[in-house]
Amino acid sequence: MEMDLPQLYRQVAFLPKRDANIVLKEFSINNKWKENAYIADFGSGDGSTTTNILQKYLPTSYKKIIGCDKSARMVEFANENYGTDKIEFIKWDITEELPQPWRVAFDHAFSSYTLQRIQEQTRAFSNIYDSLKVGGSCLLLFLGRYSPYDIFRALSRSKKWAEDLKNVEMFISPYHDSQAW
Ligand SMILES: C[S@@+](CC[C@H](N)C(=O)[O-])C[C@H]1O[C@@H](n2cnc3c(N)ncnc32)[C@H](O)[C@@H]1O
């Protein structure tokens, strides 16, 4: 179940937008943003959350936001619809090697509704850490336990949905079965 349809995603993604507003509001109340900052948005999708939500909370002095996503269609759509001289979207998979220019490059890393889709968690978190300057911060929003995953699992065992959901475990958050909840 890949997330590769930017037009459709923009119409239906009300949960990520609601939650991004909640966490960004709290982060901003505590005045955590640096001036003249460089910011990365990992898994920026169609670009609407990056531009219409994340950007709204930043000090206007911010220098640049780089959004990255592994989907070429998402990146193309994001650049066409939301790209500016200060906001750029680049195709990159967070489980690949971090590009050299992004090492120790960002004051803030942000990610919304993406990390739960990634099985190689250590790799993703290492890349986020390595992208940050000393004293940088990250604000990461992702699903842990989420009851619809149980429904997908149950459906994957039914005759009707077994074929469509044969890769069900690939899109269930690695934290869904954690005993910590
Ligand atoms: C649910 S969308 C979230 C988009 C946006 N952050 C938001 O909150 O509206 C998840 C995005 O993560 C991207 N994604 C999934 N795995 C990725 C990976 N390994 N590296 C980079 N992007 C990834 C998908 O292509 C998709 O655009």
Side-chain angles (χ1 to χ4, degrees):
M1 194 189 275
E2 276 311 315
M3 190 74 65
D4 206 29
L5 298 168
Q7 303 267 21
L8 179 63
Y9 181 75
R10 187 162 63 171
Q11 286 168 34
V12 300
F14 62 92
L15 274 182
K17 291 179 196 310
R18 180 201 66 182
D19 293 345
N21 267 307
I22 291 170
V23 297
L24 283 161
K25 196 172 185 179
E26 193 172 326
F27 190 81
S28 305
I29 286 170
N30 295 322
N31 199 18
K32 296 279 172 57
W33 301 112
K34 296 190 176 182
E35 295 291 334
N36 305 306
Y38 287 82
I39 299 111
D41 182 5
F42 292 102
S44 44
D46 69 320
S48 59
T49 300
T50 318
T51 296
N52 297 337
I53 301 180
L54 171 62
Q55 184 194 208
K56 192 173 82 181
Y57 289 92
L58 300 175
T60 52
S61 69
Y62 81 87
K63 292 280 189 210
K64 186 129 194 170
I65 306 176
I66 300 282
C68 68
D69 200 285
K70 73 171 185 180
S71 158
R73 282 170 79 173
M74 285 292 200
V75 169
E76 192 184 344
F77 182 92
N79 275 319
E80 270 170 18
N81 289 275
Y82 301 103
T84 68
D85 54 341
K86 286 176 71 174
I87 307 183
E88 189 183 349
F89 298 92
I90 294 175
K91 182 181 174 322
W92 179 64
D93 184 320
I94 196 171
T95 62
E96 289 170 0
E97 194 176 332
L98 187 68
Q100 196 57 38
W102 297 357
R103 288 193 177 272
V104 199
F106 297 102
D107 299 284
H108 304 288
F110 175 74
S111 183
S112 156
Y113 272 73
T114 295
L115 289 167
Q116 78 271 6
R117 309 181 72 84
I118 293 167
Q119 299 303 315
E120 300 98 317
Q121 289 284 301
T122 308
R123 180 75 177 184
F125 274 83
S126 296
N127 277 337
I128 293 171
Y129 180 83
D130 291 343
S131 77
L132 287 168
K133 295 179 186 171
V134 175
S137 72
C138 64
L139 181 59
L140 309 173
L141 166 62
F142 53 93
L143 292 174
R145 175 143 189 79
Y146 184 52
S147 42
Y149 289 143
D150 293 325
I151 299 171
F152 295 143
R153 263 188 187 151
L155 288 174
S156 76
R157 290 192 286 270
S158 73
K159 234 182 183 171
K160 184 171 176 186
W161 294 103
E163 180 56 27
D164 287 332
L165 292 172
K166 62 175 183 269
N167 296 323
V168 70
E169 294 303 326
M170 294 297 291
F171 64 84
I172 290 180
S173 168
Y175 302 102
H176 182 63
D177 299 314
S178 166
Q179 298 304 309
W181 305 112

